[in-house]
């Protein structure tokens, strides 16, 4: 055939394909019957006014309405029902011959006093038994339970639809017969019948049998029940958006098990074909998919679907390649498994279709066995995995799925579902255990300690919740229990805190305890039993507490206990490892204490008695570390430090005299003898007195702004509120508002969403709609309140619209739905607390000029709608933001100006280190100040508080920011030569941003200029070289703010989200106090040509990218685990450096040991969080994409492997256009090293830059990978030239050179410390800041403890109490020496313990790591010039990484 003929044929085929795409199916029959109704609907018809009901319908049935209809249930057809309680009742529909969908609509409610649990009935149609003794009530409960178990959103399912497919033959009538069971009744709310194409499901292409000997047939005699119809990775598709058959396609999120993969989308039209006509499935099914993401050698993509057992099922799998990377056959081949049987060996979309955008479906039939013959529910598994015989792209994907139950002998009726069903799984047995260890209830001590916690924390929180919050979530979201902080997105998992402790399956626990064998029991109590068990492949001993169902502890208390205990991490407390809540169990898993608890060694025990000295050591530890929480609270009260254990969110908000009175009440309630405790009326009197003291203190508040304009508009509401006004009762709406908009309520409002203004909305779906507010001239805050829900059947994902105001474009083609998803995703990625964000506020600042009207215009996009829940307008001081002092430009050639022509969008307003501040607690402008926890990256510093009033000035008026902003801060803590204080803030790229930084010194230690100077960096550029608060203000308690403007570049011009970095670091030119701090932050996006509208945010998914291959490599170089030496060396580093630094901080930074409690111990400062993007140190090392690493290693080719270990493999690779050789360490997912350890390792190694250490170049954390990239040492390490190696032996002279270098440079960190100890030169490796400050005898004792902790064998290492004793002894030696020094050393002596002849700083005291052999000789230098301690950990001084 000629080229012309082929081209012409292609054009014809293309035209033919497009023609089919444009024509959905036109149903020949479509009935919508509203059963029991008396009022007509546009689409639904009243059943009794048709000929479909029998002539005696008035005597064989009656109509009714639900006693109390759930507001989330649609009115039609669920507001009425037809009840049959005497005999069979038949609907008779005249239809054409062919296949028909029959849909039955059920809402099990109470009708005319008949409760839903009394209803049992059967349904048949044209000789097929569809339902037998059916209970709609039990079915609804099962559906709700299934969704809850799967982590699904929303309330229980109170209504549902049963869909069947029946072929109507020559009778051309479809009969639907309802027969109530004896002493029961039948009911139906609605019936729908719709025809479908002849060969779409019936007599279609023959399905493939799975593990079957005979072919499966679906013909005119086969009836089907639709069980699942899923849109993989996409949104729910309503019946009106189907292809003419009104099928509903649900999301698949609730059925994906384990790894969830990615959900890419396709923006181009789908090219339907003759084989796959346009009515097969709607375009959105094929334009979205769930895919594995080219890493599926580690995972399966699995869906778990509960079905009735004892039936055949037809599964229709819809495929369509939408990934541009895949372009030809044999690139992506995967296997399809159904119930663990191979259904498709090699699925290759490009063998089945013509290419990208061409859909195809495949049908499979499988039998689901009924183990006991009762046809109970069993799980139907569908799994995809790359074909093991092919792996160019290790990927697999699926776009849609339909599952139909097939009739067996004209029967489709299964029993009613059993609630809380579980299929037992075999569990392995344990090895024989040794002698049981006596054990008491583990949680006893913790539970006792929680008594005071409940009084001093929980009651305080409840008291605080009474204060009204404005513009935020319901008060519960601020102070709710820990277990409800964030919902797990993993299916079949609970909402308990998996980020802080593990969730075990019941099978895991049974395996750990040998099926809860009595031989494993080590304790009893009213709560149940405690078992000793083993987890992690029988390597870790644990104590497992299984609660008895008859115990007084219920599910709520169980969840609360986990929420509390998962936050407690303390050396004196037994740690909670995890929990199990499978199958109604309540199980807690703790660390196992081999030597038991203190109580077991004191009372009624066969354990050897503790020595007096040991008991003294424990007493010292208890007194200093407050082992018991209750005792801790009492001690804090006696020491007068109650304010230091208050919830950080309340720091600075409680008047000292009020807290003192509260403490008196709390402590009196903890008296040992009940007769000494106060009566309840005395408690009430004491708390009321505390409240009076608080109210008296609060009368001294600072003045606030009296807004000249303040409007609160409740859009779409019909009921008035004390503060919010109904929009349609004002003159703010247009005169034609009734024809250009309508009001609606959410179909199902989330209980966490405040009622006002989110319980109603104004919907605009025809044309533009303008609100017009008469205001005074000047700057105004415009706040738009959005709750993307379903309104009047309009789903939130259908809403796209634009908003403008006074000529400024604020939002364009805006999706509140996508924005809410992005905010929820961002908070989830950041480790944030609380549920997903279902509502939010967009805040803008617009200067209203002489027009003195503020117009807000909503314009729906084509075929879409706009909505708004609430509008707020509030005036603000003239020069607070607009025409304020000129901001400083960052990396800009021209000055930045914010004037009357500049519109702003508030992006972030943060209270650093403090609680959230509600709008009502602002200074009259109702601004909400959020916590900064979710945005801090890496080291989090400390969060001190200030109890005194703030002294505002003319330059910083009292309305600038509320007092709590300036009374709290996040600070580094005088150790910032090692760290930066960094915030990462995702913003729209392609705009200028104004950052307002609020400062106020609140640390009493800092009293004059030049003590604490730090540098401010914005996006890695210096914004402020030397920030000195005492140069800017009059002193402590005086606030100041500084404004900066920076441009955030858009790399691809699409204005997508980019990270805005803010970092603080002590000025390198000054270091009296190495500290930096910030109190508050406001970030505003600035209009560009009257435009503020950025694209909708892109949600996180990853599409694989092509990777180039490497040039041929030469002979592999032997290589050992690179990081081994460094990791081992860090052990001593953590003891001899970090612990010493902590000890020094207690003295130098705060003056006394007591002062340290103001800030808390370093390890418990604040919860680790991860920002929107990776928060790893890209300023010190590079972040590689996975595609880069694959290119460097030739797709992780085994030919590139140069080392192995328990962590995984090490590869030799090439980066930077194959010019630089690197060593790439890829961690195995089964390794004991997790994400946190991976991040910590990078954080440490990225700071180490030294001639003796192999440098970390970068890392990769793409797609769940944990990969480190190092300098490649061509000649290997010293170890490789000495032990078990084929390398040529080193000459004796070279070995001597290395030995000399090792003696001078301390090659291995750990060995260096040990050697220093043996040589008696520990004083030479102490932090230079401590030189001369440690008594020699104290340092010697400290060394004994540290070295003992480095013993090779664990059994040789000291127990914790021995460590405590040793350190206590060292402290006593230090204190004794200091007493002597006070008497004999002059006050001006700076280093009282400086040894004779010792230098305070020397270059040769810098630590080093494993020696690298370069060019055949040792790389140890004769000089260490340039590697002094003040530059080894340089971070921001050199602002570019490698």
């Amino acid at each position: 055939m000629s080229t012309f003929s082929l081209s012409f044929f292609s054009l014809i085929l293309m035209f033919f394909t497009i023609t089919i795409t444009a024509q959905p199916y036109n149903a020949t029959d479509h009935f919508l019957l509203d059963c029991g109704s008396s009022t007509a609907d546009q689409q639904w018809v009243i059943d009794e006014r048709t000929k479909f009901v029998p002539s005696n319908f008035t005597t064989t049935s009656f109509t009714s309405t639900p006693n109390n209809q759930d507001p989330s249930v649609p009115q039609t057809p669920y507001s009425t029902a037809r009840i049959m309680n005497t005999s069979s009742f038949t609907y008779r529909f005249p239809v054409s011959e062919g296949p028909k969908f029959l849909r039955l609509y059920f809402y099990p409610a109470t009708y005319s006093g008949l409760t839903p649990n009394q209803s049992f009935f059967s349904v048949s149609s044209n000789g097929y038994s569809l339902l037998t003794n059916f209970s709609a009530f039990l079915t609804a409960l099962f559906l709700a339970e299934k969704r809850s178990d799967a982590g699904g959103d929303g309330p229980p399912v109170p209504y549902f639809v049963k869909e069947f497919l029946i072929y109507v033959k020559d009778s051309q009538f479809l009969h639907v017969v309802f027969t109530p069971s004896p002493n029961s009744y039948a009911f139906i709310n609605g019936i729908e019948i719709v025809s479908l194409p002849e060969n779409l499901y019936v007599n279609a292409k023959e399905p493939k049998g799975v593990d079957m000997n005979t072919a499966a047939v679906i013909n005119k005699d086969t009836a089907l029940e639709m069980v699942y119809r899923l849109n993989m990775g996409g949104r729910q598709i309503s019946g009106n958006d189907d292809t003419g058959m009104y099928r509903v396609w649900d999301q698949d999120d609730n059925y994906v098990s384990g790894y969830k993969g990615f959900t890419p989308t396709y923006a181009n039209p789908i090219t339907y074909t003759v084989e796959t006509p346009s009515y097969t499935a709607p375009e959105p099914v094929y334009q979205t998919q769930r895919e594995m993401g080219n890493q599926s050698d580690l995972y399966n993509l699995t869906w778990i679907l509960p079905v009735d057992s004892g039936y055949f099922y037809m599964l229709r799998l819809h495929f369509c390649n939408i990934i541009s990377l895949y372009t030809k056959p044999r690139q992506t081949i995967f296997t399809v498994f159904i119930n663990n049987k191979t259904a498709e060996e090699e699925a290759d979309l490009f063998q089945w279709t013509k290419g990208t955008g061409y859909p195809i479906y495949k049908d499979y039939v499988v039998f689901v066995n009924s183990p006991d013959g009762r046809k109970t529910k069993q799980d139907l598994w569908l799994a995809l995995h790359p074909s093991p015989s092919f792996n160019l792209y290790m990927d697999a994907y699926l776009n849609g799925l339909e599952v139909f139950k097939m009739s067996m002998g004209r029967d489709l009726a299964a029993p009613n579902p059993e609630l809380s069903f579980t299929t037992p799984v075999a569990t392995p047995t344990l090895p024989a255990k040794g002698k049981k260890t006596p054990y008491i209830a583990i949680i006893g001590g913790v539970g006792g300690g929680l008594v005071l916690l409940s009084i001093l924390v929980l009651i305080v929180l409840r008291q605080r919740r009474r204060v009204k919050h404005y513009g935020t979530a319901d008060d519960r979201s601020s102070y709710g229990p820990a277990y409800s902080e964030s919902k797990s997105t993993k299916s079949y998992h609970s909402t308990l805190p998996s980020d802080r402790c593990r969730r075990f399956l019941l099978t895991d626990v049974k395996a750990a305890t040998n099926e809860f064998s009595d031989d494993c029991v080590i304790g009893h109590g009213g709560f149940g039993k405690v078992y000793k068990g083993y987890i992690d492949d029988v390597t870790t001993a644990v104590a497992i507490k299984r609660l008895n169902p008859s115990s007084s502890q219920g599910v709520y208390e169980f969840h609360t206990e986990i929420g509390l205990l998962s936050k407690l991490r303390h050396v004196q407390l037994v740690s909670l490892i995890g929990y199990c809540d499978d199958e109604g169990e309540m199980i807690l898993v703790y660390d196992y204490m081999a030597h038991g608890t203190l109580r077991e060694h004191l009372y009624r025990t066969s354990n050897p008695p503790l020595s007096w000295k040991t008991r003294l050591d424990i007493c010292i530890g208890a007194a200093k570390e407050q082992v018991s929480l209750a005792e801790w609270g009492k001690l804090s009260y006696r020491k007068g430090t109650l304010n230091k254990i208050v919830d950080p969110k309340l720091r600075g908000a409680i008047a000292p005299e009020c807290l003192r009175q509260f403490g008196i009440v709390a402590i009196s309630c903890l008296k040992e003898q009940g007769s000494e405790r106060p009566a309840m009326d005395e408690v009430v009197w004491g708390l009321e007195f505390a409240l009076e003291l608080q109210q008296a203190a609060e009368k001294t508040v600072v003045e606030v702004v009296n807004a000249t304009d303040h409007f609160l508009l409740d859009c779409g509401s019909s009921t008035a509120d004390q503060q919010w006004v109904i929009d349609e009762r004002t003159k703010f709406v247009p005169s034609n508002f009734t024809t250009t908009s309508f009001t609606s309520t959410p179909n199902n409002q989330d209980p966490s969403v405040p009622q006002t203004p989110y319980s109603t909305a104004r919907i605009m779906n025809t044309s533009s709609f303008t609100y017009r507010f008469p205001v005074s001239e000047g700057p105004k805050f415009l706040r738009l309140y959005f709750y993307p829900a379903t309104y009047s059947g309009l789903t939130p994902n259908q809403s796209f619209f634009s908003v403008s105001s006074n000529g400024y474009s604020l939002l364009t083609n805006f999706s509140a739905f996508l924005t809410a998803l992005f905010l929820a995703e961002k908070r989830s990625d950041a480790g944030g607390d609380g549920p997903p964000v279902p509502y939010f506020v967009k805040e803008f600042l617009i200067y209203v000029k002489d027009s003195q009207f503020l117009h807000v215009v909503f314009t729906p996009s084509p075929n879409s709608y706009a909505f708004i829940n609430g509008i707020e307008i509030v005036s603000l001081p003239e020069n607070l933001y607009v025409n304020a002092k000129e901001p400083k430009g960052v990396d800009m050639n021209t000055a930045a100006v914010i004037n009357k022509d500049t519109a702003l969008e508030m992006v972030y307003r943060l209270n650093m280190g403090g609680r959230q501040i509600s709008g009502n607690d602002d200074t009259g402008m109702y601004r909400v100040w959020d916590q900064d926890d979710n945005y801090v990256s890496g080291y989090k510093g400390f969060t001190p508080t200030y109890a005194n009033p703030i002294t505002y000035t003319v330059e910083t008026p009292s309305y600038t920011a509320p007092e709590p902003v300036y009374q709290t801060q996040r600070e580094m803590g005088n150790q910032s030569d090692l760290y930066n204080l960094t915030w990462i803030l995702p913003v729209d790229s392609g705009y200028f941003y104004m950052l307002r930084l609020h400062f106020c010194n609140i640390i009493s230690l800092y009293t004059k200029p030049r003590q604490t100077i730090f540098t401010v960096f914005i996006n890695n550029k210096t914004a402020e070289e030397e920030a000195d608060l005492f140069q800017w203000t009059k002193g402590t308690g005086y606030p100041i703010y500084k404004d900066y403007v920076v441009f955030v570049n858009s790399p691809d011009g699409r204005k997508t989200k980019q990270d805005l970095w803010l970092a603080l670091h002590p000025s390198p030119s000054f270091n009296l106090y190495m500290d930096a701090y910030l109190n508050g932050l406001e970030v505003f996006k600035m209009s560009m040509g009257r435009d503020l509208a950025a694209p909708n945010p892109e949600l996180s998914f990853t599409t694989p990218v092509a990777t180039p291959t490497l040039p041929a490599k030469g002979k592999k170089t032997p290589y050992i685990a690179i990081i081994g030496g460094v990791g081992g060396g860090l052990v001593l580093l953590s003891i001899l450096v970090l612990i010493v630094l902590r000890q020094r901080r207690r003295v130098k930074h705060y003056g006394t040991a007591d002062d340290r409690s103001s800030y808390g111990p370093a390890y418990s400062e604040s919860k680790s969080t991860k920002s929107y993007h990776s928060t790893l140190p890209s300023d010190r090392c590079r972040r590689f994409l996975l595609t880069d690493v694959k290119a460097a290693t030739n797709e992780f080719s085994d030919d590139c492997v140069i080392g192995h270990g328990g962590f995984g493999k090490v590869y030799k690779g090439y980066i930077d256009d194959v010019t630089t050789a690197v060593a790439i360490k890829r961690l195995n997912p089964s390794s004991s090293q997790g994400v946190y350890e991976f991040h910590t390792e990078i954080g440490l190694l990225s700071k180490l830059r030294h001639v003796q250490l192999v440098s970390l170049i970068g890392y990769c954390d793409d797609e769940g990978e944990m990969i480190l990239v190092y300098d490649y040492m061509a000649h290997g390490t010293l170890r490789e030239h000495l032990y078990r190696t084929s390398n040529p032996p080193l000459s004796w002279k070279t070995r001597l050179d290395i030995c000399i270098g090792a003696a001078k440079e301390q090659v291995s960190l750990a060995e260096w410390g040990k050697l220093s100890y043996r040589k008696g030169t520990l004083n030479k490796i102490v932090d230079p800041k401590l030189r001369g400050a440690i008594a020699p005898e104290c340092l010697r004792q400290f060394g004994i403890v540290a070295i003992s902790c480095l013993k090779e064998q664990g059994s040789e290492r000291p127990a914790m109490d021995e460590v405590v004793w040793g350190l206590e002894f060292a402290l006593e030696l230090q204190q004794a020496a200091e007493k002597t020094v006070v008497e004999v050393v002059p006050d001006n002596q700076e280093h009282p313990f400086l040894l004779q002849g010792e230098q305070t700083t020397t270059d040769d005291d810098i630590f080093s790591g494993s020696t690298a052999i370069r060019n055949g000789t040792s790389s140890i230098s004769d000089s260490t010039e340039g590697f002094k301690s003040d530059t080894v950990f340089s971070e921001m001084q050199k602002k570019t990484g490698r």
Side-chain angles (χ1 to χ4, degrees), residues 412-637:
L412 275 169
N416 288 306
E418 297 175 355
L419 303 183
S420 296
F421 66 89
T422 303
T423 304
V425 180
T427 55
T429 57
L430 292 178
K433 304 293 188 299
K435 181 181 178 181
K436 290 194 291 182
T437 303
Y439 204 87
I440 64 166
I442 304 168
I443 201 56
V446 178
L450 291 178
V451 172
L452 186 67
L453 183 65
S454 66
I455 296 178
L456 293 183
V457 179
L458 297 183
I459 293 181
V460 174
L461 290 179
R462 291 178 60 85
Q463 175 70 19
R464 182 59 182 169
R465 283 176 52 196
R466 297 181 186 174
V467 180
K468 183 176 181 182
H469 283 252
Y470 178 88
T472 64
D474 187 292
D475 291 350
R476 290 172 300 171
S477 62
S478 298
Y479 303 104
Y483 65 84
S484 65
E485 287 169 8
S486 58
K487 178 177 289 187
S488 172
T489 57
K490 184 175 181 181
S491 61
Y492 294 95
H493 282 64
S494 74
T495 59
L496 290 169
S498 57
D499 56 328
R500 296 187 295 271
C501 60
R502 292 166 58 179
R503 180 181 186 270
F504 293 89
L505 298 177
L506 183 58
T507 51
D508 300 332
V509 180
K510 286 183 175 180
T513 59
N514 202 8
E515 297 287 334
F516 296 113
S517 170
D518 286 344
D519 294 335
C520 301
V521 174
I522 54 176
H524 298 80
F527 56 84
K529 297 180 180 179
V530 177
Y531 300 82
K532 180 179 180 181
Y534 292 85
I535 60 173
D536 301 333
D537 296 328
V538 202
T539 60
T540 304
V542 291
I544 297 173
K545 172 183 170 183
R546 186 188 193 193
L547 273 72
N548 189 329
S550 62
S551 166
S552 61
Q553 182 164 9
V555 175
Y556 179 83
E557 292 79 6
F558 174 69
H559 285 210
T560 303
E561 186 166 358
I562 295 172
L564 289 170
L565 297 180
S566 61
K567 296 175 182 175
L568 296 176
R569 290 293 184 265
H570 196 278
V571 67
Q572 305 293 347
L573 294 178
V574 179
S575 295
L576 177 69
I577 295 176
Y579 63 91
C580 171
D581 58 350
D582 263 4
E583 302 182 25
E585 290 279 356
M586 294 185 288
I587 298 172
L588 299 173
V589 182
Y590 298 89
D591 272 342
Y592 175 73
M593 297 290 100
H595 298 286
T597 65
L598 173 61
R599 184 183 186 92
E600 291 173 329
H601 287 266
L602 296 177
Y603 309 116
R604 298 177 184 176
T605 177
S606 58
N607 289 321
L610 296 179
S611 68
W612 172 242
K613 181 174 173 300
T614 302
R615 297 183 189 217
L616 287 176
D617 292 337
I618 295 173
C619 291
I620 293 172
K624 298 193 70 175
E625 297 296 337
Q626 299 88 34
V627 176
S628 163
L629 296 180
E631 290 303 322
W632 170 55
K634 291 178 181 178
L635 179 62
S636 298
Y637 173 77

Side-chain angles (χ1 to χ4, degrees), residues 295 298-299 1170 1176 1184 1186 1189 1196 1207-1209 1211 1224-1242 1258-1270:
Q295 59 175 359
L298 302 177
Y299 310 100
K1170 184 178 179 182
L1176 291 170
F1184 293 88
L1186 183 57
V1189 180
F1196 296 114
F1207 57 83
K1209 297 179 179 179
Y1211 300 80
I1224 297 174
K1225 172 183 171 183
R1226 186 189 194 193
L1227 273 73
N1228 189 328
S1230 63
S1231 166
S1232 61
Q1233 182 165 9
V1235 175
Y1236 178 81
E1237 292 79 6
F1238 173 70
H1239 285 213
T1240 302
E1241 188 166 353
I1242 295 173
Y1259 64 91
C1260 171
D1261 60 351
D1262 261 4
E1263 302 179 21
E1265 290 280 351
M1266 294 185 288
I1267 298 171
L1268 299 173
V1269 182
Y1270 298 86

Side-chain angles (χ1 to χ4, degrees), residues 107 147 240-241 341 381 413 758 768 861 949 959 1062 1155 1232 1358:
Y107 175 35
R147 180 163 64 180
N240 288 337
D241 292 334
K341 303 292 184 181
W381 287 60
Y758 298 110
S768 294
S861 300
Y959 54 71
L1062 170 64
D1155 289 343
S1232 61

Side-chain angles (χ1 to χ4, degrees), residues 746-768:
N747 276 20
N748 181 22
Q749 184 163 354
D750 190 308
S752 70
V753 178
Q755 288 294 303
T756 306
Y758 298 110
S759 61
T760 60
R762 183 160 297 281
I763 313 295
M764 310 88 164
N765 65 345
T766 57
S767 59
S768 294

